[in-house]
Structure formats: structure tokens, C-alpha cells
Amino acid sequence: MDNRPIGLLDSGLGGLSIAKKVIEKLPNESTVFIGDNAHMPYGNRTKEDIINLTRRSVKFLLNNDVKLVIFACNTATAAAMGTIEKEIEPQIIGVIQSGALAASRTTKNKKVAVVATSVTVGSHAYEKEIHFRDPEIEVTELATPKLAPLVEAQEEHATNLKVVKESLAPLKGKDFDTLVLGCTHYPLIEQEIKEILGEVLFFNGSPRVALHLKEILKEKQLLSTENNMNITFID
Ligand code: DGL
């Protein structure tokens, strides 16, 4: 038993979708969330920059005595998790494995598309994870750098639809049956993405991350008996 909170970080408000799932699936757990709004988007930054900014958020979480850290950000998972997990004691859970696992289990025609930030696409982290599970799956990765800032700007539906349509134009004519929303901001414009792409199956890591978290807490006997806070801190 361990009543310390779970720490979550993102570059902005996208990661709140993961925090919400954690609170839903593990109501006894307390959470501390940090969204580094001042430095978003992370998706166009250098790896070094992302590592430094993520370290800063991790420090904030550790100062809040978290027992485990969730990188509720694909970009931080792709660019910084490998480095930072060697530096701190609490375990880190990223979001990429979970989304890749769900997509590779679901595709029927073995064609998956991934939309994500430029950094995540440039790392080919999704392609590697999906191919690790099934090398026959064809993976099309598309960088959509305008989408996370669009979500943060909280625009009207018509504006969202226009930017989503332009951003997803390169996917037109590709016959994938499964789309990975490889940025935690994108579920917030899922409606607009659906209007543009129609009948494909959508995945993001959020639901599986919460399940994975539960398994780890159980296994390490870190489950909490009472929820005494859920704090959101947007820098
Ligand atoms: N929400 C973040 C992700 O999942 C990135 C958004 C950004 O800062 O570019 O990749």
C-alpha cells in the first residue's frame, strides 16, 4: 500500500485525457498533473530541449512526492523517456507502447496510419513498436504539427475542421483501417478527425495506459487505499 500520488506530465492540456482515465479506472489513486503550457508545442523542438523541459516537469512531480510518473505525452515519451528513466527512482510509464499495442491487435487489413507531432514521427517510435508486435503491418506515419496548437487554442468547430482537413490531406486514398492518434491532444478533436476520415478505427494510448498502471501498482504493491487529491497545475 502506498498513498502517494501518481504524477502525470504533458506539454499542455492533452495529457488531461490520460489523467481523466486514471481517475476513472483507479478512483482510490491521487494524481498530480503538470501541463507545461508555457513551452508547448514540444513537437517541433530539439530532442535536447524536450529532455530539459521534461526534466523540469519531472522535478516538479518528484517534489510532490509521486510514487510513479506517467509521460502523458507521446513527444516526451519518444524523445526523453529513455534518458530520464535512468535518472530517477520512480518508474515511468509512456504512452506509445499502449497505443501501438491496441492498433496492432485491431487492424484487419494490416494497414495502420499514425498521426503525431514531427518529433514523434521522426523517432519512428510507433512504427518500431508496431513492427515489434507484427512486422507485416504496413505503417504510414504523418506529422501533423498544426493540430496540438489548434487544440490548445480551443477554436470553433469550423476552424478545427479546416485545419484538420488540410493536415490529414496526405492520408487521402490510403486504405488503412486503423488510425493511431499519436498525440494526447488529438482525442480532443476526434470528432473533426472522424468527419474528415470517416470509417476507420481510432486508437490512442489512454485507456490502456490506465490498465497498465493498475497492473504495475498491483504487482509492486503500490495501490493506494484513499484518494486525497487530484491537482492540475498548468504552467
Ligand atoms: N501532447 C503531446 C504529445 O502527445 C505533444 C503536443 C506538443 O507539445 O507538440 O505528443
Side-chain angles (χ1 to χ4, degrees):
M1 181 201 96
D2 187 334
N3 284 341
R4 289 178 299 161
I6 307 287
L8 300 105
L9 63 85
D10 184 28
S11 63
L13 50 81
L16 283 171
S17 55
I18 307 240
K20 196 170 151 234
K21 279 277 176 257
V22 168
I23 294 165
E24 231 172 76
K25 302 262 182 233
L26 291 152
N28 278 345
E29 298 299 327
S30 305
T31 59
V32 181
F33 175 88
I34 176 163
D36 184 13
N37 235 346
H39 299 101
M40 95 79 60
Y42 278 15
N44 303 329
R45 290 179 178 274
T46 63
K47 186 176 162 94
E48 197 191 353
D49 232 8
I50 298 166
I51 292 173
N52 287 333
L53 291 170
T54 307
R55 245 191 216 124
R56 194 172 149 268
S57 294
V58 166
K59 195 168 167 211
F60 170 86
L61 295 174
L62 294 180
N63 286 341
N64 279 278
D65 197 24
V66 299
K67 61 184 169 189
L68 189 144
V69 176
I70 298 180
F71 279 14
C73 173
N74 291 264
T75 308
T77 303
M81 187 164 140
T83 303
I84 298 180
E85 67 188 353
K86 294 189 196 109
E87 302 172 350
I88 65 167
E89 206 183 302
Q91 180 165 351
I92 301 177
I93 298 181
V95 276
I96 292 180
Q97 273 191 346
S98 299
L101 176 68
S104 52
R105 279 184 181 162
T106 306
T107 178
K108 297 265 184 298
N109 71 357
K110 291 197 185 273
K111 291 191 171 92
V112 172
V114 179
V115 283
T117 65
S118 305
V119 166
T120 303
V121 165
S123 75
H124 300 293
Y126 271 101
E127 187 181 46
K128 285 177 203 158
E129 281 293 336
I130 291 171
H131 281 165
F132 173 69
R133 288 177 173 83
D134 184 346
E136 284 179 12
I137 296 176
E138 194 180 304
V139 182
T140 303
E141 295 173 294
L142 176 68
T144 44
K146 289 189 180 160
L147 296 188
L150 179 75
V151 171
E152 290 284 335
Q154 302 192 33
E155 297 285 0
E156 304 262 304
H157 177 70
T159 311
N160 285 347
L161 205 60
K162 186 171 171 282
V163 181
V164 168
K165 191 174 181 190
E166 282 164 15
S167 297
L168 299 184
L171 292 180
K172 235 181 151 193
K174 306 244 189 259
D175 69 341
F176 57 90
D177 65 356
T178 304
L179 178 77
V180 178
L181 302 180
C183 170
T184 51
H185 281 70
Y186 299 174
L188 295 163
I189 43 167
E190 189 168 325
Q191 186 50 43
E192 286 85 349
I193 297 175
K194 273 190 178 141
E195 280 181 45
I196 301 298
L197 291 182
E199 289 304 304
V200 287
L201 291 163
F202 285 79
F203 283 97
N204 65 82
S206 316
R208 253 219 75 81
V209 168
L211 287 178
H212 186 42
L213 169 67
K214 194 172 181 178
E215 283 160 17
I216 291 174
L217 294 178
K218 257 193 192 156
E219 187 190 307
K220 298 196 163 181
Q221 301 188 335
L222 290 177
L223 280 164
S224 179
T225 51
E226 58 180 23
N227 176 340
N228 37 43
M229 60 173 184
N230 291 302
I231 301 175
T232 299
F233 182 82
I234 305 283
D235 197 356

